[in-house]
Amino acid sequence: MSQSEPSTAKRKLSLLAACLGFVVVILDVSVVNVATDALSKDFGGSLSGLEWVINGYTLTFAAFLLSTGALGDRFDPKRIYQVGFALFAVASFACGASTTLVALIISRVIQGLGAAMIVPSSLSIVNKSFPDATERAKAVSLWAAAGGLALALGPVVGGVLIDQLGWRSIFFVNVPIAIIGIWLTQVNAPGTVRDPQAPRRSFDVLGQVLAVVALGTFTAAIIEANGKGWGSSVVVTCLAVFVVATIAFLVAEKKSSDPMLPLHLFGRKAFTSTSLIGVLVNFAFYGLIFVFSLFFQTAWSYSPIVAGLAFLPMTATIMIANLACGPLARRYGARTVLMTGSTLAAVGYLATLPAVNSGSYVAIIAQFLVAGFGIGLVVPAMTNAMLSAVDSGNIGIASGVLNASRQLGGLIGVAVMGLIVGHADADTFTSGLQSALGWAVAALVLCILLSAFGIHRATKAKATTAPTPAKTPVPAK
């Protein structure tokens, strides 16, 4: 056996470890949607409580995503990945063991923090494990595909586990996966020896605190407005704190020598446009996943597993479109692909509006396929357009901003569409769903306009559509 063979095996196992972390993070973004009915029956919670179960996770995931990259720079991505995976596992166990809705929400918040530590550090592990550019491109593609697979199978896996083992199993299953992932990382992933002369990124404590306060109060205002009304003291107070915290955050980031969010990047039209597209696309997609999951189980009386399977055609076409996007973007440019994908998604959701009255899944499956293919084209093209809008020294930051904007969009989508549906029962749910579809279509129309006027016509796909950090630490020997 040659000396290169163990090294190759270690690289593959390191990639597997990174993929495991990414998979469980993406799974837990969508898998809980299928559990909403079971959670409601177990805890008797309100719709706002169910929204907090989903958004408590997304909130901390989005809020800490930019800062956790800095932690990897300071303390080694391998170490941060393992700590994040361990925190995720402990929080997952706490979710499964929760006896009250409040305990579940708190555990989901901690789970989101672990997820924020996992994602950027997992990509850094892939980058260091594959120093050759060609091999790294393939590895990153597999890493991204693992996330796409998790997105596609999330509702199905959740449905099967809930039907067979109960809702707690969707959290308990993360624990053995985390143990395997941590062990594989420890044995196979390269460590980092920092150059003592290299600059060390600081942790923007003030910016991070203000970001959490702003996102948290904004989310609370939207969710609580559903039950308390926009004029309630709680909602008004949350909105006021949100405005103050947002202004303070912008001032702090402008004055900071090493901000978590460099504001000057938003002076570039393509950067700003793709950030907004990330918010709008996830607003439409995850908001509707949440509402349709409730609709299938409330209005159409689907079991969790059937509700999960109902999403499979859409999510499967997302994966197919992800694969098709690369060649299309290289030939026609990211701008054209973005406009095409946003248009297809908007048309698919628009055509779903009258079909939900039929009471038949067959009447909406074609629309799901069209919408899914459109969403699948938008996400990789959006990533390429974002990375093309910045210089190589800011690629890591651009990737973090795009991921954070997408998570923020999903958070707002679940909150707003939950507010639109309100306290609808089985008889009135359809009208609420149609309103939510209308909002999703409006968001996608804005994506079309942002693509047309904010993305340069000549933006072409790069050789790899995934980000690679500007600085690669020296692997430990």
Side-chain angles (χ1 to χ4, degrees):
M1 181 180 291
S2 67
Q3 290 183 341
S4 62
E5 288 177 334
S7 176
T8 300
K10 279 184 174 291
R11 287 199 299 270
K12 291 179 178 179
L13 290 172
S14 179
L15 173 61
L16 174 61
C19 287
L20 284 176
F22 193 36
V23 163
V24 295
V25 166
I26 299 300
L27 274 175
D28 274 64
V29 173
S30 59
V31 71
V32 179
N33 284 287
V34 188
T36 50
D37 191 55
L39 290 172
S40 180
K41 291 176 181 176
D42 244 23
F43 295 125
S46 63
L47 181 61
S48 62
L50 297 177
E51 289 173 31
W52 272 117
V53 172
I54 296 171
N55 278 343
Y57 176 83
T58 312
L59 172 62
T60 47
F61 188 12
F64 287 93
L65 201 52
L66 289 173
S67 291
T68 49
L71 286 176
D73 289 342
R74 289 178 66 88
F75 302 112
D76 180 10
K78 175 179 177 178
R79 188 182 305 174
I80 296 302
Y81 180 79
Q82 291 177 301
V83 172
F85 220 161
L87 180 62
F88 189 91
V90 171
S92 295
F93 184 85
C95 286
S98 297
T99 56
T100 66
L101 195 60
V102 172
L104 177 57
I105 292 169
I106 293 172
S107 300
R108 286 283 285 171
V109 168
I110 300 171
Q111 213 186 13
L113 177 58
M117 297 175 71
I118 289 171
V119 172
S121 55
S122 69
L123 189 55
S124 294
I125 287 173
V126 174
N127 179 70
K128 288 199 293 294
S129 298
F130 295 86
D132 178 75
T134 302
E135 289 187 355
R136 184 169 62 243
K138 294 177 181 178
V140 170
S141 295
L142 289 172
W143 177 85
L149 181 63
L151 177 63
L153 295 181
V156 180
V157 171
V160 171
L161 289 173
I162 293 165
D163 256 14
Q164 299 300 314
L165 302 172
W167 66 264
R168 298 179 189 277
S169 63
I170 64 175
F171 298 112
F172 287 143
V173 73
N174 292 333
V175 177
I177 296 175
I179 293 172
I180 294 170
I182 293 169
W183 176 77
L184 285 173
T185 305
Q186 180 63 33
V187 175
N188 299 287
T192 300
V193 175
R194 273 194 62 88
D195 180 355
Q197 303 301 319
R200 185 186 288 267
R201 282 192 63 190
S202 63
F203 189 81
D204 185 4
V205 177
L206 178 60
Q208 182 63 82
V209 170
L210 291 171
V212 171
V213 172
L215 285 175
T217 51
F218 178 71
T219 305
I222 298 176
I223 291 178
E224 295 305 318
N226 184 33
K228 296 182 172 65
W230 288 103
S232 73
S233 58
V234 172
V235 174
V236 171
T237 301
C238 285
L239 288 175
V241 174
F242 161 69
V243 172
V244 172
T246 300
I247 294 172
F249 173 78
L250 295 174
V251 172
E253 295 306 279
K254 187 175 182 179
K255 292 183 177 180
S256 175
S257 59
D258 192 11
M260 61 182 282
L261 181 59
L263 299 180
H264 69 85
L265 293 176
F266 289 97
R268 305 177 185 184
K269 187 187 294 185
F271 185 91
T272 302
S273 296
T274 47
S275 297
L276 291 173
I277 290 170
V279 173
L280 292 167
V281 167
N282 273 34
F283 168 87
F285 181 72
Y286 283 110
L288 288 180
I289 288 287
F290 173 69
V291 175
F292 264 107
S293 179
L294 290 172
F295 174 73
F296 287 144
Q297 296 179 73
T298 301
W300 286 5
S301 301
Y302 284 2
S303 67
I305 188 171
V306 175
L309 289 170
F311 290 112
L312 189 57
M314 177 189 285
T315 50
T317 52
I318 289 176
M319 290 184 63
I320 294 171
N322 285 165
L323 297 174
C325 183
L328 289 172
R330 282 192 293 271
R331 181 168 182 177
Y332 300 107
R335 176 178 178 268
T336 300
V337 176
L338 272 170
M339 292 177 65
T340 303
S342 299
T343 301
L344 286 173
V347 169
Y349 288 139
L350 186 63
T352 309
L353 274 166
V356 294
N357 280 312
S358 66
S360 169
Y361 179 73
V362 175
I364 65 172
I365 190 170
Q367 294 90 318
F368 268 26
L369 293 173
V370 173
F373 195 84
I375 295 293
L377 287 179
V378 168
V379 174
M382 170 180 63
T383 303
N384 176 69
M386 169 67 89
L387 300 181
S388 298
V390 299
D391 55 71
S392 60
N394 285 312
I395 282 181
I397 293 174
S399 176
V401 169
L402 183 59
N403 279 294
S405 68
R406 291 181 62 197
Q407 295 307 317
L408 176 61
L411 185 154
I412 297 172
V414 171
V416 169
M417 293 192 186
L419 180 63
I420 292 169
V421 172
H423 299 284
D425 54 24
D427 296 327
T428 60
F429 208 110
T430 300
S431 61
L433 173 60
Q434 288 176 320
S435 296
L437 282 164
W439 278 86
V441 171
L444 290 164
V445 169
L446 287 177
C447 288
I448 298 171
L449 295 175
L450 287 167
S451 302
F453 298 105
I455 308 298
H456 195 275
R457 185 183 298 274
T459 300
K460 301 287 183 179
K462 298 178 180 178
T464 66
T465 56
T468 55
K471 297 178 181 178
T472 304
V474 180
K477 295 182 180 180

